[in-house]
Amino acid sequence: MSRTLKKAGIPMIIILLAIAVMFALASLKKQPEKEEVVTKDFLVDAKPIEFGTVDFLVYSQGSVQAKNKTMLSTQVSGRVASIADNFVEGGFFAKGDVLVELEDADYRTDLLLAEAELARAQASLDEEKARGMVAAEEWRSFNQGTPPELGLRKPQLAREQATVKAAEAGLQRAKRNLERTKIRAPYDGLVKTRNVDLGQFVTLGSQLGEVFSTAIGEVRLPLTDDDVAFLDDLSDTNPKVILSTDIAGKTVQWTGALVRDEAILDGKSRVIYGVVEVVDPYLLRSEAASNAQPLRFGRFVSAQISGISSPNIVVLPRNVLRLDGTVLTVDENKEIKINFVTVQRTDEDFVYISDGLNPEHQVVMSAVPNPYNGMPVRFLGDEDKEPSANEIPANNNAIEVK
């Protein structure tokens, strides 16, 4: 029995000794240091509020076209006798150049006939004047008093005078018809299309081709009501317009002026079209740099229109404006202020604020989750400074950090 107790007691003694050693070692372990964990104020990025005068810009786009377009047509009929070398698609010409010439033999004959008819009518008039003078002399030799108009052949004289006027009109018509066999350019321009060729017979009113004037180019720009609100009155001033496009990887610009709007809203798009004029788009009359590019008709361009100027405007990135129309600022105590602002305009990148911001505050540029008025914050660079009065411990109990 005692042997059995000895066998069972030895393991228990070993276990008790192990527990005693464990407690002894635990008592020798150094107690961990206790540190206070401080919750810092929310870190924000902010910049001072700057007020200034903003020259607003309005952006649009459109295609270049000629201000004057003419479909050349004939005023007489005949066979095409000659065509000018520059009367080809894309050919340039000057005002008064003969582009197409018709056979004029018949019209020269008509001119001779008209001249002969005028000469005959003039001779008849001279003869009638002589007869009237003879009749007047005869009346005075045989009668006393006022002679009748018929006796002096005045009706016959008036008839011959009318015949002369008709002959003169016929002569003028014959001269015009002869001149109309030469179709001349109405202005300096270029040929858009040509619809006639040598030997072709054309009738009165036949369309020979379409030509464009190169004096002034136009660009029709669609403008919304918001765009128009930021433009000056076009009846008083013509805003400057910068037209641009990319050519061979380079941005090329031209200068024009917004001269008018078309006064009627487009029924489908509900926009109004403004018209920009560019003088001498093909650089034919003005001195230009050697590397200057002509503004060709049909080119698609972007337009930047100079608009009105507004003072005391704050320009901020668009992401600073919150969905509820507020902007966060930081006051002199480094506390958040939620400001309801008046937005004069927004575009793709910026928001233009005219009222609602304190110039002594700073605008918060970074995102702040769940902000509230009086929320303490800190700025970049404050990490190395002493904790502010707003920085408080997370709780009153020390937290062990192992």
Side-chain angles (χ1 to χ4, degrees), residues 336-376:
I336 289 289
K337 298 296 180 184
I338 301 177
N339 306 270
F340 288 90
V341 296
T342 301
V343 177
Q344 186 163 352
R345 190 187 183 197
T346 59
D347 56 28
E348 294 181 357
D349 301 315
F350 300 101
V351 56
Y352 304 86
I353 299 173
S354 59
D355 192 20
L357 293 178
N358 189 332
E360 297 181 357
H361 290 184
Q362 296 188 59
V363 177
V364 177
M365 307 301 293
S366 56
V368 179
N370 303 320
Y372 57 88
N373 279 314
M375 176 180 176

Side-chain angles (χ1 to χ4, degrees), residues 21-190:
V21 171
M22 181 183 68
F23 276 104
L25 293 176
S27 62
L28 296 176
K29 182 179 179 181
K30 185 178 180 180
Q31 294 295 323
E33 297 181 358
K34 297 181 179 181
E35 297 180 358
E36 289 186 351
V37 176
V38 178
T39 302
K40 295 184 177 181
D41 295 337
F42 192 83
L43 179 64
V44 298
D45 180 19
K47 74 172 187 178
I49 297 175
E50 298 179 356
F51 290 83
T53 299
V54 175
D55 296 326
F56 286 105
L57 299 175
V58 175
Y59 297 92
S60 188
Q61 54 191 5
S63 296
V64 184
Q65 58 187 0
K67 181 178 182 179
N68 295 312
K69 307 174 185 179
T70 303
M71 181 63 70
L72 295 179
S73 58
T74 57
Q75 293 179 282
V76 294
S77 60
R79 189 176 65 86
V80 177
S82 65
I83 296 177
D85 293 338
N86 56 348
F87 191 55
V88 292
E89 294 182 359
F92 290 88
F93 52 81
K95 181 178 180 179
D97 287 352
V98 177
L99 303 179
V100 179
E101 190 169 357
L102 308 180
E103 285 186 344
D104 60 359
D106 291 341
Y107 297 99
R108 290 185 180 277
T109 300
D110 292 341
L111 178 59
L112 292 175
L113 291 175
E115 291 175 344
E117 180 62 24
L118 177 58
R120 186 196 65 77
Q122 188 64 51
S124 297
L125 176 60
D126 294 340
E127 182 181 356
E128 192 58 47
K129 288 180 180 179
R131 288 180 179 178
M133 294 174 61
V134 171
E137 289 294 333
E138 291 179 351
W139 178 268
R140 284 194 295 270
S141 62
F142 294 102
N143 298 284
Q144 299 293 328
T146 302
E149 292 186 358
L150 185 60
L152 296 181
R153 301 185 62 84
K154 288 186 177 181
Q156 292 85 341
L157 179 63
R159 180 187 62 199
E160 296 301 332
Q161 289 174 338
T163 302
V164 169
K165 289 183 179 179
E168 289 175 344
L171 178 61
Q172 293 176 2
R173 181 185 297 109
K175 289 180 178 180
R176 287 196 302 269
N177 287 340
L178 179 60
E179 180 62 26
R180 286 168 179 169
T181 59
K182 298 178 181 179
I183 291 83
R184 300 181 182 274
Y187 39 63
D188 296 346
L190 61 84

Side-chain angles (χ1 to χ4, degrees), residues 94-294:
K95 181 178 180 179
D97 287 352
V98 177
L99 303 179
V100 179
E101 190 169 357
L102 308 180
E103 285 186 344
D104 60 359
D106 291 341
Y107 297 99
R108 290 185 180 277
T109 300
D110 292 341
L111 178 59
L112 292 175
L113 291 175
E115 291 175 344
E117 180 62 24
L118 177 58
R120 186 196 65 77
Q122 188 64 51
S124 297
L125 176 60
D126 294 340
E127 182 181 356
E128 192 58 47
K129 288 180 180 179
R131 288 180 179 178
M133 294 174 61
V134 171
E137 289 294 333
E138 291 179 351
W139 178 268
R140 284 194 295 270
S141 62
F142 294 102
N143 298 284
Q144 299 293 328
T146 302
E149 292 186 358
L150 185 60
L152 296 181
R153 301 185 62 84
K154 288 186 177 181
Q156 292 85 341
L157 179 63
R159 180 187 62 199
E160 296 301 332
Q161 289 174 338
T163 302
V164 169
K165 289 183 179 179
E168 289 175 344
L171 178 61
Q172 293 176 2
R173 181 185 297 109
K175 289 180 178 180
R176 287 196 302 269
N177 287 340
L178 179 60
E179 180 62 26
R180 286 168 179 169
T181 59
K182 298 178 181 179
I183 291 83
R184 300 181 182 274
Y187 39 63
D188 296 346
L190 61 84
V191 180
K192 173 64 167 57
T193 57
R194 193 184 87 178
N195 305 327
V196 69
D197 214 332
L198 283 173
Q200 180 178 345
F201 184 86
V202 294
T203 59
L204 180 65
S206 296
Q207 295 182 348
L208 307 181
E210 187 177 13
V211 295
F212 291 169
S213 171
T214 55
I216 297 177
E218 286 188 343
V219 184
R220 296 176 69 242
L221 301 177
L223 302 173
T224 64
D225 289 339
D226 290 339
D227 293 333
V228 174
F230 288 93
L231 294 177
D232 289 321
D233 187 355
L234 299 184
S235 61
D236 296 331
T237 182
N238 298 134
K240 179 181 178 182
V241 181
I242 302 298
L243 304 175
S244 62
T245 190
D246 290 336
I247 300 178
K250 296 182 179 180
T251 300
V252 183
Q253 295 183 338
W254 300 269
T255 302
L258 184 63
V259 296
R260 69 180 190 279
D261 61 59
E262 296 184 352
I264 300 176
L265 287 174
D266 184 85
K268 295 181 179 179
S269 60
R270 309 308 300 171
V271 298
I272 190 171
Y273 282 90
V275 179
V276 175
E277 288 189 356
V278 180
V279 178
D280 192 20
Y282 279 83
L283 309 177
L284 300 177
R285 289 171 295 278
S286 59
E287 295 183 1
S290 58
N291 59 347
Q293 291 280 351

